Amino acid sequence: MSSAAAFSYAPLLPTGPDQTEYRLVTDEGVDVVNGPGGRRFLTVEPAALTALTAEAMHDIAHFLRPAHLAQLRAIIDDPAASPNDRFVALDLLRNANIAAGGVLPMCQDTGTAIVMGKRGRHVLTDGGDAEAISRGVYQAYTKLNLRYSQLAPLTMWEERNTGSNLPAQVELYAEDPDGHPDAYKFLFMAKGGGSANKSYLYQETKALLNPTRMMQFLEEKLRLIGTAACPPYHLAIVIGGTSAEYALKTAKYASAKYLDALPTQGSMTAHGFRDLELEAEVLELTRNFGIGAQFGGRYFCHDVRVVRLPRHGASCPVAIAVSCSADRQAIAKITPSGVWLERLETDPARYLPDVTDETLDAEQVVRVDLNRPMAEIRAELSKYPVKTRLSLTGPLVVARDIAHAKIAERLDAGEPMPQYLRDHAVYYAGPAKTPEGYASGSFGPTTAGRMDAYVEKFQAAGGSMVMLAKGNRSAQVTRSCQQHGGFYLGSIGGPAARLAQDCIRHVEVLEYAELGMEAVWKIEVEDFPAFIVVDDKGNDFFAEVTKPVLTVGRR
């Protein structure tokens, strides 16, 4: 063997100077004390950690970063954007404006709370940091109009909602953040199930590491992400990694822009770096998918981050992750000067354009009266092609995972399909808490694909003939709709606050009240936006745009 190289060290993810704009949360609960050797130590009380966490979870549920809002506005201003791209972007900006009021969170899935912290060596706490942070998560989710989504496993098969959105995922590291021994820095995230489910790990080989094969691979895998996680996305791709889990974690950080200040080239110290050229190539690749901002166009992604990591010679993990239209994260720090939190945009109205809906509408908007019998609703929908934009008014039944499972059990036992699923379109959703004076809490669609296994059984029994949710469906749903005369309508993923404020007029529980947000509801909607995605003739809008064509590198 050759002689060993000289020792050298670099952090795996060396980041540059912190350019974040902060605001002061409090200067209480922090102090500086003298220690041995003339060193000075920052003391942090548990209450300061709790207060910071509660404030951070509030802010990321209601506010977005200015850069994200500017990207939405850029879609509206881009003449190359499709009408559907611009309509989705405008709806998401309106949603941000409503959420910024501090009552309705921007998304009904208010997510798993994730906190990563780096504590400098001269920072002293009582040692119960994770508990103090979790208490802040608890305070935010129990006091605000957020949704409890965490399930406690009681046995291997039984589970129950914890009623507090705990546990949080808290990861703390002993590391001087940015070289400051007297600082404690944090990344706060709220990760909804839809976007978390679009995190992927692929175990590849050295054969992937050439430009043509890499782009072919990415074209295939990125199309498969689909729209269930509410694009436009902030897409992160990590090539390499000292382990599979490290690659995935790096992808999550990159999707949150946490690694934007990485170096842009590698070195023999084997640190990670960003490949700006490949980022631009992948972004252009996604522009040509045709998927767009959910219903056709260019804006499948806002931007792309590609991080190259060192790897074991026998392994080449590739991790892919997205941050969705609810781009919820914030940086924070505790220093001798106080407790500081990233300043998010509290006035998103300034990003709204001076245009009307009509300016954005290049295609006919079909108004559908949901008060009519189901046969008449289906006959009306049958007149129009996939991708047609709709405006729905009237009653909808709301049911999602657990309710579908219970109804399937009833059908298996020989009971009839509930009449409410025969008479009404079904909306796959689950609301956040209802604020006082509102008809509902934030009430956006959930991922349709989780209900795919039930569709043929339900439609054969006369139910679920018109379904409404977000994201693409499997081929079995298309076949069932063609066989039974059904339809799948796509709702815009993301604007849950706007739907609650502007479109949902009444909400009542029909069945399974004990399931909380997973109960069967009946709601009344007005001018609820949707698109025909799967029709009764076997057409599926997403079938072509999500199918890999592997044209990259072909001449």
Side-chain angles (χ1 to χ4, degrees):
M1 296 180 63
S2 60
S3 59
F7 174 81
S8 62
Y9 172 79
L12 273 175
L13 296 172
T15 55
D18 183 2
Q19 304 294 333
T20 307
E21 181 182 355
Y22 292 96
R23 66 178 182 87
L24 181 66
V25 175
T26 181
D27 57 6
E28 297 181 358
V30 296
D31 196 8
V32 177
V33 298
N34 293 321
R39 290 177 293 180
R40 292 174 63 79
F41 290 83
L42 174 67
T43 63
V44 180
E45 298 296 328
L49 293 172
T50 298
L52 172 60
T53 302
E55 188 79 0
M57 300 315 295
H58 166 276
D59 279 15
I60 63 178
H62 291 282
F63 308 129
L64 291 159
R65 287 171 167 161
H68 176 86
L69 294 163
Q71 288 174 312
L72 287 173
R73 174 58 188 266
I75 296 174
I76 297 172
D77 294 337
D78 183 0
S82 73
N84 286 349
D85 277 340
R86 292 196 293 272
F87 178 73
V88 169
L90 178 61
D91 221 36
L92 291 172
L93 280 175
R94 288 171 168 167
N95 186 71
N97 196 51
I98 293 168
V103 178
L104 293 166
M106 69 183 73
C107 180
Q108 81 288 340
D109 183 348
T110 48
T112 297
I114 300 172
V115 184
M116 187 272 286
K118 296 179 178 180
R119 190 174 81 178
R121 67 186 185 276
H122 289 175
V123 177
L124 303 178
T125 70
D126 70 352
D129 298 22
E131 181 178 354
I133 290 167
S134 295
R135 185 176 295 278
V137 172
Y138 174 85
Q139 289 182 1
Y141 277 84
T142 55
K143 293 180 180 179
L144 302 173
N145 298 309
L146 309 183
R147 195 177 84 184
Y148 309 142
S149 299
Q150 305 306 309
L151 302 177
L154 304 181
T155 70
M156 181 61 73
W157 321 118
E158 298 176 83
E159 51 192 7
R160 185 176 302 164
N161 195 300
T162 62
S164 63
N165 214 57
L166 293 178
Q169 178 180 320
V170 182
E171 300 179 0
L172 302 176
Y173 299 91
E175 175 182 332
D176 288 353
D178 302 324
H180 296 291
D182 60 348
Y184 204 160
K185 299 196 73 171
F186 301 89
L187 169 65
F188 292 95
M189 303 179 71
K191 197 71 173 173
S195 107
N197 293 344
K198 295 303 179 181
S199 299
Y200 296 100
L201 173 70
Y202 301 97
Q203 296 286 14
E204 296 298 314
T205 68
K206 166 68 175 174
L208 184 67
L209 299 180
N210 69 78
T212 299
R213 177 66 191 116
M214 177 64 72
M215 293 301 285
Q216 290 175 336
F217 170 86
L218 291 175
E219 178 176 17
E220 176 186 354
K221 303 306 182 186
L222 298 180
R223 285 177 182 270
L224 295 177
I225 293 175
T227 61
C230 308
Y233 297 129
H234 300 283
L235 172 66
I237 302 165
V238 174
I239 313 298
T242 50
S243 65
E245 63 270 24
Y246 194 81
L248 283 166
K249 183 177 293 188
T250 302
K252 178 176 287 186
Y253 292 160
S255 72
K257 307 298 181 68
Y258 186 73
L259 303 178
D260 275 11
L262 282 177
T264 56
Q265 60 185 20
S267 76
M268 285 305 295
T269 57
H271 57 75
F273 66 90
R274 286 180 59 189
D275 187 325
L276 302 184
E277 182 178 350
L278 188 54
E279 289 178 1
E281 292 175 6
V282 174
L283 181 61
E284 185 59 28
L285 176 71
T286 67
R287 293 279 193 259
N288 295 319
F289 284 171
I291 300 172
Q294 307 187 29
F295 302 103
R298 288 170 45 82
Y299 282 93
F300 185 63
C301 294
H302 283 304
D303 48 43
V304 177
R305 296 294 182 267
V306 177
V307 177
R308 182 68 159 90
L309 293 178
R311 67 183 185 92
H312 184 285
S315 301
C316 186
V318 178
I320 296 174
V322 298
S323 184
C324 66
S325 58
D327 189 39
R328 294 173 296 197
Q329 54 264 325
I331 306 295
K333 64 181 180 180
I334 301 177
T335 69
S337 62
V339 178
W340 300 85
L341 180 60
E342 181 177 355
R343 185 182 300 278
L344 302 180
E345 179 58 73
T346 58
D347 183 25
R350 65 192 185 94
Y351 293 91
L352 284 167
D354 294 324
V355 298
T356 64
D357 284 351
E358 288 71 25
T359 308
L360 298 176
D361 293 341
E363 303 177 45
Q364 179 185 13
V365 178
V366 176
R367 302 193 177 277
V368 178
D369 182 3
L370 298 176
N371 292 289
R372 292 183 294 173
M374 179 55 64
E376 293 184 17
I377 295 172
R378 291 160 59 195
E380 177 70 11
L381 294 174
S382 190
K383 299 176 184 177
Y384 303 98
V386 294
K387 211 168 73 169
T388 298
R389 184 177 148 203
L390 309 173
S391 177
L392 309 177
T393 298
L396 289 168
V397 167
V398 179
R400 48 180 285 161
D401 307 64
I402 298 178
H404 273 70
K406 287 183 173 293
I407 293 169
E409 290 174 359
R410 288 158 60 172
L411 294 178
D412 290 340
E415 297 180 33
M417 171 64 64
Q419 194 63 37
Y420 53 74
L421 280 184
R422 298 174 63 90
D423 293 342
H424 301 293
V426 58
Y427 179 37
Y428 303 157
K433 285 183 285 189
T434 301
E436 185 176 351
Y438 285 72
S440 83
S442 293
F443 211 154
T446 195
T447 302
R450 297 201 308 273
M451 267 55 73
D452 283 6
Y454 302 103
V455 172
E456 203 286 325
K457 179 193 292 282
F458 282 25
Q459 289 189 337
S464 295
M465 301 308 294
V466 177
M467 301 161 286
L468 175 66
K470 68 174 181 176
N472 43 301
R473 307 298 295 265
S474 63
Q476 70 188 87
V477 172
T478 303
R479 290 193 297 268
S480 183
C481 286
Q482 183 176 20
Q483 179 181 354
H484 298 289
F487 294 84
Y488 166 56
L489 311 180
S491 176
I492 300 173
R498 196 192 78 77
L499 293 175
Q501 176 176 287
D502 297 341
C503 301
I504 298 175
R505 301 300 180 220
H506 178 74
V507 176
E508 62 180 285
V509 175
L510 284 182
E511 196 170 15
Y512 304 125
E514 70 277 8
L515 298 181
M517 68 95 176
E518 293 236 26
V520 176
W521 309 77
K522 183 177 181 181
I523 66 175
E524 292 285 336
V525 302
E526 181 179 346
D527 291 331
F528 192 107
F531 296 79
I532 299 176
V533 176
V534 176
D535 66 14
D536 57 347
K537 305 170 189 67
N539 299 307
D540 175 4
F541 162 66
F542 287 114
E544 290 303 315
V545 296
T546 59
K547 183 169 62 178
V549 295
L550 299 180
T551 57
V552 177
R554 186 178 298 163
R555 294 290 185 265

